[in-house]
């Protein structure tokens, strides 16, 4: 599946319209993709294609002197082990779960579109990064198979990387780009 800027931007803006979110893509410049994630967290790199970025905390007064806000400042060796690899289906579900607080697929009830239409938007987002991309998250809702997330579980755990009470996210790594999809709740 190929994707164009208009469909990708539309999907991103629509899905995360009600979330406190940070959605950004940057170039993959390092073998160690965590360094590229940290560059995204500090807003140090532009989107290589000039596509949409969602930064709900861009104007927060807490950002003065703290370019990572609402992320906490962490070294790569702290971040890397907190991001566990998941499969593509789990990444698709996670993109939908990040649309509101609580990291759950029950968030889909707040949309007028059907679950199939929302899943199509999530697949549009993933298509940007290609079929060979890998996916990582700080969310733990372990499914029955390794690398899966089970969204039928009532509770979840996560490894915080931000300063809010809840921060859940997805990192997408391709050969040329790194995407960061994060949702925050206080």
């Amino acid at each position: 599946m190929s994707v164009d800027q208009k469909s990708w931007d539309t999907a991103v803006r629509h899905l995360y319209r009600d979330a406190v979110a940070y959605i950004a893509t940057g170039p993959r410049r390092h073998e160690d993709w965590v360094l590229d994630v940290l560059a995204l967290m500090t807003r140090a790199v532009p989107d290589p294609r000039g596509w949409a970025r969602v930064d709900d905390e861009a104007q927060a007064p807490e950002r003065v002197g703290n370019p990572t806000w609402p992320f906490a400042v962490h070294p790569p060796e702290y971040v890397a082990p907190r991001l566990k690899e998941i499969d593509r289906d789990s990444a698709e579900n996670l993109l939908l779960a990040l649309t509101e607080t609580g990291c759950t697929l029950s968030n889909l009830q707040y949309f007028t579109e059907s679950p199939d239409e929302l899943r199509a938007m999530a697949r549009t987002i993933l298509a940007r990064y290609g079929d060979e991309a890998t996916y990582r998250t700080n969310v733990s809702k372990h499914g029955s198979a390794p690398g899966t997330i089970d969204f039928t579980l009532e509770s979840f755990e996560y490894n915080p990387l931000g300063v809010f009470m809840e921060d859940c996210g997805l990192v997408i790594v391709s050969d040329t780009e790194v995407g960061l999809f994060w949702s925050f709740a206080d």
Side-chain angles (χ1 to χ4, degrees):
M1 174 182 184
S2 65
V3 65
D4 61 23
Q5 179 178 0
K6 183 179 179 189
S7 60
W8 194 87
D9 287 358
T10 298
V12 166
R13 291 184 195 285
H14 184 71
L15 287 176
Y16 302 101
R17 68 181 185 220
D18 293 329
V20 176
Y22 180 68
I23 313 297
T25 298
R28 171 114 187 249
R29 294 182 174 156
H30 303 91
E31 182 66 29
D32 181 0
W33 52 266
V34 175
L35 298 173
D36 298 311
V37 168
L38 294 174
L40 282 170
M41 287 178 173
T42 61
R43 299 159 178 86
V45 293
D47 186 295
R49 302 184 200 191
W51 292 12
R53 180 173 276 192
V54 175
D55 191 353
D56 290 329
E57 291 293 308
Q59 303 306 315
E62 294 87 354
R63 286 222 36 234
V64 175
N66 184 3
T68 63
W69 179 269
F71 294 100
V73 177
H74 296 296
E77 50 279 348
Y78 178 90
V79 174
R82 285 163 174 77
L83 296 171
K84 304 297 183 193
E85 190 163 353
I86 58 173
D87 66 5
R88 187 180 181 98
D89 288 340
S90 294
E92 181 182 312
N93 282 326
L94 184 55
L95 284 175
L96 297 174
L98 293 172
T99 60
E100 283 279 339
T101 60
C103 197
T104 175
L105 292 177
S106 68
N107 295 342
L108 303 184
Q109 68 183 325
Y110 302 114
F111 291 93
T112 58
E113 294 83 6
S114 71
D116 288 342
E117 291 170 309
L118 296 169
R119 288 187 186 291
M121 289 182 203
R123 285 191 296 276
T124 295
I125 291 170
L126 293 177
R128 172 184 180 156
Y129 305 96
D131 293 335
E132 301 302 314
T134 58
Y135 313 95
R136 290 173 176 80
T137 185
N138 68 327
V139 175
S140 297
K141 283 188 171 201
H142 300 293
S144 57
T148 63
I149 298 178
D150 183 352
F151 283 98
T152 64
L153 298 174
E154 298 246 347
S155 63
F156 72 99
E157 298 173 1
Y158 66 96
N159 291 303
L161 295 177
V163 297
F164 287 121
M165 186 175 77
E166 178 184 304
D167 69 276
C168 301
L170 174 67
V171 173
I172 305 172
V173 180
S174 76
D175 288 341
T176 58
E177 294 181 318
V178 175
L180 190 61
F181 293 80
W182 227 263
S183 180
F184 301 92
D186 203 6

